[in-house]
Amino acid sequence: MVMKKLFTAIGVAAAAFALSLSAASPAAAVPAQAPTPVKSRIESTTAADTVAPASAVEQRTCRARFSENVNHRLRAEAGSAILGSIPAGAWVQTSCTRVAGGEYTACGLSSDFWMEVYWNGNWGHGAWGCVKDWEFTS
């Protein structure tokens, strides 16, 4: 009987510990519907875990479109200068990864993740929470 209580207590403690780790996970801050880009504006890729000749390197670029009109900001901060407005649904060249910056609330979400965006001849930032579609272009 004592052993049963001891093992039950250990099991409860282990479950509580596991739940505390998952609750502190930074993944909870990522919007559920948002795509997850991999690397930078132009990424070099080779076969995994192999050394390839320079001719085997592939260049990748990305594009995205937003669900609503989004401010094109100079920096990844809500108070940064606005370079323009990106219309909803317009495909724009983007980085292949999100970047951390200042916190904002847009498109029904609060986040501190931004996407580098090329619009009207300038690189700037758009709210990651408003990304509707995202894809590699090459």
Side-chain angles (χ1 to χ4, degrees):
M1 191 68 157
V2 172
M3 292 299 282
K4 184 177 179 181
K5 287 183 181 181
L6 177 64
F7 285 121
T8 301
I10 291 171
V12 169
F17 179 72
L19 285 174
S20 71
L21 289 178
S22 66
S25 170
V30 177
Q33 293 100 350
T36 306
V38 183
K39 300 211 179 203
S40 64
R41 288 182 201 153
I42 298 176
E43 123 188 25
S44 295
T45 60
T46 58
D49 299 323
T50 62
V51 177
S55 62
V57 174
E58 177 186 348
Q59 297 293 315
R60 294 193 117 170
T61 57
C62 299
R63 71 180 189 157
R65 62 181 169 177
F66 297 95
S67 59
E68 296 178 12
N69 291 349
V70 172
N71 286 329
H72 183 221
R73 295 190 178 273
L74 181 61
R75 292 186 184 84
E77 301 169 358
S80 178
I82 297 173
L83 302 173
S85 180
I86 302 169
W91 283 102
V92 294
Q93 183 180 359
T94 66
S95 61
C96 294
T97 186
R98 62 182 182 207
V99 296
E103 180 124 355
Y104 63 87
T105 299
C107 302
L109 298 170
S110 292
S111 180
D112 63 350
F113 290 117
W114 297 78
M115 179 166 274
E116 288 182 283
V117 178
Y118 188 76
W119 181 252
N120 278 345
N122 296 302
W123 279 100
H125 294 84
W128 171 259
C130 295
V131 172
K132 176 181 178 182
D133 296 305
W134 175 91
E135 64 187 20
F136 285 113
T137 55
S138 64

